Amino acid sequence: MNLHNTSRATLGSLFGGNVLFGAGLFFHAFLYNFYLQALGHSETVMGYAAASLTAGALAALLPAGKLVDRRGSRLVLLGAVLLGAVGLVTGALVTRPALVYAASVATGAGTGSWRVAGGPMLMRLTDEHSRARAFSWNVALLVGTGALWILIAGGVPQWLASTFGLSTLGAIRLTLIAGGAGTLVSLMLFALLPAGGPAAGDRVAGSGPSGEAAATAPVPLGLVLVVVLVAGWMFAPALVMPFFNIFFQRQFDLPVAQIGIIFAAAHGVTAFAIFGSGELASRLGPRRALAGWMLLFGPTLLLMAAAGSLGPVIGLYLVQGFVSPATNPLIDQILLELAPSERQGAVSSWRNAATDGSGLGGAAVGGMVLDGASFGALFVLAGIVALVAAPLLIYGLMRRRAAQPVGA
């Protein structure tokens, strides 16, 4: 990427902070269903806990977007770390469903604020030539290091139990707390980022609104409609993602440590795929790269529903695992490039609201489907949703580009 040394160092602080913030999230995503299972809770509680996570994010997204536009991304990132770490640690200590849901709400609020602030900060730190790679590299680093966090999360509980004689519940609890501590450490790197709103350095003096007027400038209706289509698309992965850990355990009777190896391998492979996606997007354009990834997801889930042996299932799991991490940075980049610079925080919050709204419904519906049916039925449902939603979003993005004036 063509960046000055100072910009590279600042971008490194953002990337490094994101990696550390992600530690607690990966620990939580991989282990929390096992924690709830050790407490004796049902799949419905697991689904509601995941839904509470997204509900907390939804509650925080719009305020976080406004704060990004008025005070800048760094302040929001610092607040997100504190809120997210508190939620992660608290969630590992409580046992009653109501308290589990409350801790999940706090974790979701921190996570949602972090995601809202990240896109506008990346827009500020990059130019049009480096942007596609930066957005994809950021996600690739998160996914790649996520492999390490998952390996640790999968192996440490067993080591704690055998070394110190802890129960399964106690070992998982300590591991979850350690992940929350890793998230808290990201505060030091985010503190090095520049203060101020993302539009401050991009807008030429006198070329647009500023202050309160900038933060309340209207967003084009067409862009709002595209965000709605994003929500429809994201509902498909939201149906299945919270349940893959228990899928491998229940369908193939795999131990937690072995599932951790599968998840870590998937994240490692996905990281390389996302690096390639960023390079592809920089050469062919983000819309074409996005279309290719999206059209792959539905058929993969339908094949996964029909597969009966572990080998093919793992291969299909790797393929479907590429899609969301590869499409998310491309969607972020396209939407933020279409948005007025002084309203990037708001658009980022709406885009994440679309994702988390889908996650809220998807996790709850997915849990209920598993209670009454099978994993095969869940995969078929998600595959059909993807087959319908992907072409609609692709069409919406193409139409939105056609509506953009030259130079916009």
Side-chain angles (χ1 to χ4, degrees):
M1 292 186 291
N2 282 329
L3 294 172
H4 297 298
N5 290 335
T6 302
S7 297
R8 288 176 181 171
T10 307
L11 199 60
S13 297
L14 178 62
F15 286 171
N18 287 340
V19 165
L20 286 172
F21 191 98
L25 302 185
F26 279 108
F27 275 44
H28 183 277
F30 178 70
L31 282 177
Y32 207 62
N33 279 350
F34 296 120
Y35 172 72
L36 295 176
Q37 184 171 261
L39 290 172
H41 294 307
S42 68
E43 294 92 339
T44 300
V45 173
M46 297 177 193
Y48 286 160
S52 298
L53 195 75
T54 54
L58 282 169
L61 291 177
L62 294 181
K66 287 185 178 181
L67 197 57
V68 165
D69 288 334
R70 294 179 179 179
R71 300 292 300 276
S73 295
R74 186 181 70 173
L75 179 65
V76 176
L77 287 171
L78 296 177
V81 171
L82 296 175
L83 189 57
V86 168
L88 288 167
V89 173
T90 302
L93 297 173
V94 297
T95 59
R96 295 174 57 186
L99 297 178
V100 166
Y101 304 151
S104 295
V105 167
T107 301
T111 304
S113 299
W114 168 62
R115 293 202 315 268
V116 167
M121 180 61 79
L122 270 174
M123 292 291 290
R124 182 179 185 185
L125 298 179
T126 58
D127 56 30
E128 61 182 12
H129 302 293
S130 62
R131 189 160 293 146
R133 291 186 180 93
F135 269 84
S136 290
W137 287 11
N138 180 53
V139 175
L141 286 170
L142 280 169
V143 173
T145 55
L148 174 62
W149 301 136
I150 290 173
L151 276 177
I152 294 172
V156 166
Q158 183 177 344
W159 175 79
L160 288 173
S162 61
T163 303
F164 300 101
L166 297 177
S167 65
T168 299
L169 176 60
I172 292 176
R173 174 174 282 150
L174 281 179
T175 307
L176 287 170
I177 291 172
T183 291
L184 185 61
V185 174
S186 66
L187 195 74
M188 295 186 293
L189 288 175
F190 288 146
L192 300 176
L193 297 173
D202 298 335
R203 193 172 55 243
V204 178
S207 65
S210 60
E212 292 293 323
T216 56
V219 175
L221 176 61
L223 191 55
V224 177
L225 296 177
V226 171
V227 172
V228 174
L229 294 177
V230 171
W233 155 250
M234 293 306 298
F235 187 73
L239 283 166
V240 296
M241 285 198 304
F243 306 104
F244 273 122
N245 47 8
I246 60 172
F247 165 71
F248 283 106
Q249 184 186 57
R250 295 185 180 180
Q251 295 294 110
F252 301 102
D253 198 27
L254 297 181
V256 174
Q258 190 171 344
I259 297 172
I261 293 173
I262 293 173
F263 274 42
H267 279 74
V269 173
T270 299
F272 284 105
I274 299 171
F275 277 118
S277 176
E279 185 63 29
L280 190 67
S282 69
R283 294 174 182 270
L284 301 180
R287 287 173 177 81
R288 291 180 181 177
L290 177 65
W293 285 116
M294 290 174 62
L295 294 174
L296 183 64
F297 190 67
T300 302
L301 281 180
L302 295 178
L303 289 173
M304 200 170 182
S309 57
L310 181 60
V313 166
I314 290 177
L316 292 167
Y317 170 71
L318 291 175
V319 174
Q320 69 81 33
F322 299 162
V323 177
S324 288
T327 57
N328 285 342
L330 297 174
I331 291 172
D332 286 339
Q333 178 190 344
I334 293 168
L335 289 179
L336 291 176
E337 285 177 345
L338 292 173
S341 61
E342 65 274 4
R343 296 291 279 151
Q344 287 173 355
V347 171
S348 181
S349 70
W350 295 352
R351 178 264 190 272
N352 281 281
T355 303
D356 288 340
S358 298
L360 178 66
V365 171
M368 289 186 287
V369 169
L370 285 181
D371 260 348
S374 65
F375 279 103
L378 182 62
F379 293 156
V380 168
L381 175 61
I384 292 173
V385 171
L387 288 174
V388 173
L392 290 175
L393 178 55
I394 293 168
Y395 176 77
L397 289 173
M398 294 300 180
R399 290 282 297 175
R400 182 61 196 157
R401 177 176 61 178
Q404 282 292 104
V406 176

